[in-house]
Amino acid sequence: MSAKRKPPTLQQKKEEVNKKAILWIGSGIALLIILIIVLIVIAQI
């Protein structure tokens, strides 16, 4: 029974990590885009 209980907990942990990873990647890409836009604006001035 313990073997049957472990896979669901592992799957739940993987889902939580995936959600956090997606949030981190999304925020990182957003920050990069903002930095690039700011640099372009500064270069044009």
Side-chain angles (χ1 to χ4, degrees), residues 11-24:
Q11 288 177 357
Q12 288 177 356
K13 288 181 181 178
K14 288 180 180 178
E15 289 177 359
E16 289 177 359
V17 171
N18 287 337
K19 289 178 182 179
K20 290 181 181 178
I22 291 171
L23 288 174
W24 276 106

Side-chain angles (χ1 to χ4, degrees), residues 1-44:
M1 291 178 71
S2 61
K4 290 181 180 179
R5 289 181 184 174
K6 288 180 182 178
T9 56
L10 290 174
Q11 288 177 357
Q12 288 177 356
K13 288 181 181 178
K14 288 180 180 178
E15 289 177 359
E16 289 177 359
V17 171
N18 287 337
K19 289 178 182 179
K20 290 181 181 178
I22 291 171
L23 288 174
W24 276 106
I25 293 170
S27 61
I29 292 172
L31 287 174
L32 285 174
I33 293 172
I34 291 170
L35 285 174
I36 292 170
I37 292 171
V38 169
L39 288 173
I40 292 172
V41 170
I42 291 172
Q44 289 179 353

